[in-house]
Amino acid sequence: MRTVQAEALVHSVTGDQIKMFRKVPKQRVTAFLKRSGWRLLPNERSESVWVIEDGGRESLCTVCDGARGGFDVGIDPWELYCPQHEDPVAALVHPSRGEQGAEAVMRALCSQNRMTPEDLLNALTLERRDEAHLYLRSRPFEFPVQAEVYENAIHDLFEILYLCYDCAGAEQGDDALTYSDVTFAAPDHVVLSFGRPYAEETGEAADRVRTLSRRAAEQLGTPLNWLHSSQRDRSVVRQYATGELVLEEVVEPEDFRAGAGPERALWDALDTFRYQTAFFADWRFDWGWDVE
């Protein structure tokens, strides 16, 4: 889950960005499409048309929430197709031909994935590490800034990083944090990097670090999602006697907080950073590619 990042729309794609995109291996772009929810259009002779549906919805849908949920909403149970949520909202052709085709693919991916061209190229070229991009509602690191603000933020962000590895099962001898780091990318943007050893680094210890790093990055996503869960995530659908469908909230974000252990500590560390430094406006995970 991601919240809405402010205006992450494509205004322009440069020639250099198109050239870089065209150098990305086709199988890597294909894997990225699948990760992002795109699918090949069935029964297409070309086998190159990809489509994506509207994945998220906050308001109630008569078909998806009503008829499919077993409620009496006056819809034939045999006609449960929902054009609003099942029809594609975008399409692209991959593999593409020429610079214009590559630009069209980049624009479609950036628009639907709420990414800039720089974001997209980073996601497609990132190797041997995973990155959590955290965007903040305010700009706490804009110059001039007091040293104390940086000191507190660095302490809290590394604490979050350490706890991600603890949740992943890291032990003292794993040395996993050697490959990880925190970066201040902009006044409102910090990056947590979960690094992995180079391919030439072999052995059981290096392999364990590779596994732990990916698992640690995945651990961060769960509390982020629940801390920023929507009303729909926390609700069930009810129907009034009048036939109206409503969302009834049954849990609060705090109900998903772990009872003990590093998972609870990670939740608390994220909550502390939100209140002491800045709230999270958005986040994105870039999953790095392993290079043999």
Side-chain angles (χ1 to χ4, degrees):
M1 168 184 151
R2 287 187 60 198
T3 54
V4 178
Q5 182 181 341
E7 297 301 321
L9 301 177
V10 184
H11 298 290
S12 63
V13 182
T14 68
D16 287 341
Q17 289 170 335
I18 295 172
K19 290 178 181 177
M20 187 178 298
F21 177 79
R22 296 185 68 189
K23 291 180 181 178
V24 177
K26 292 179 180 178
Q27 62 271 25
R28 187 176 290 191
V29 177
T30 298
F32 180 81
L33 285 167
K34 292 179 179 178
R35 284 182 185 179
S36 304
W38 294 77
R39 62 178 178 83
L40 276 170
L41 191 64
N43 302 322
E44 275 292 319
R45 294 179 181 178
S46 66
E47 297 183 351
S48 60
V49 178
W50 294 75
V51 296
I52 190 169
E53 288 86 24
D54 183 10
R57 62 181 194 275
E58 287 299 315
S59 59
L60 288 168
C61 172
T62 305
V63 176
C64 301
D65 298 301
R68 291 179 184 171
F71 296 104
D72 183 6
V73 290
I75 294 179
D76 190 326
W78 297 102
E79 298 178 359
L80 297 184
Y81 177 73
C82 179
Q84 181 180 357
H85 298 117
E86 294 185 61
D87 282 351
V89 295
L92 59 82
V93 176
H94 167 73
S96 58
R97 293 184 179 181
E99 291 190 1
Q100 289 186 337
E103 181 179 358
V105 173
M106 289 187 70
R107 287 182 175 277
L109 287 174
C110 290
S111 176
Q112 291 303 312
N113 292 19
R114 298 194 297 268
M115 304 173 82
T116 65
E118 292 83 359
D119 293 338
L120 175 62
L121 291 172
N122 183 74
L124 290 171
T125 58
L126 187 66
E127 296 176 350
R128 287 186 294 271
R129 70 181 184 277
D130 301 319
E131 291 179 346
H133 293 256
L134 307 178
Y135 298 89
L136 310 177
R137 288 186 187 175
S138 59
R139 298 169 64 85
F141 310 120
E142 187 167 30
F143 290 135
V145 59
Q146 293 183 343
E148 184 181 4
V149 174
Y150 267 114
E151 290 173 0
N152 291 338
I154 290 171
H155 173 273
D156 291 345
L157 289 168
F158 270 104
E159 180 70 12
I160 291 169
L161 195 62
Y162 296 154
L163 287 168
C164 287
Y165 279 94
D166 285 346
C167 292
E171 299 175 357
Q172 277 191 325
D174 288 325
D175 202 24
L177 286 164
T178 300
Y179 303 91
S180 300
D181 205 354
V182 172
T183 302
F184 293 87
D188 59 350
H189 178 195
V190 295
V191 183
L192 273 60
S193 297
F194 301 82
R196 299 193 288 276
Y198 285 89
E200 54 267 25
E201 297 183 56
T202 60
E204 184 177 343
D207 289 341
R208 178 168 168 78
V209 170
R210 292 185 181 94
T211 301
L212 284 172
S213 292
R214 171 56 60 88
R215 194 181 298 162
E218 293 170 343
Q219 293 296 319
L220 179 60
T222 300
L224 274 175
N225 287 337
W226 285 124
L227 276 166
H228 301 83
S229 56
S230 67
Q231 181 187 8
R232 171 173 281 277
D233 294 327
R234 303 189 303 270
S235 303
V236 295
V237 180
R238 305 289 191 197
Q239 187 174 34
Y240 289 154
T242 59
E244 179 187 4
L245 296 176
V246 295
L247 283 174
E248 181 180 311
E249 194 164 341
V250 292
V251 292
E252 295 288 338
E254 291 72 20
D255 293 325
F256 299 100
R257 181 186 181 213
E263 291 80 11
R264 174 162 181 162
L266 176 58
W267 176 290
D268 291 344
L270 286 167
D271 209 27
T272 297
F273 183 86
R274 291 198 307 164
Y275 283 101
Q276 291 191 354
T277 302
F279 274 68
F280 302 114
D282 191 13
W283 61 90
R284 182 185 84 251
F285 285 88
D286 288 345
W287 304 106
W289 310 91
D290 288 319
V291 180
E292 298 299 334

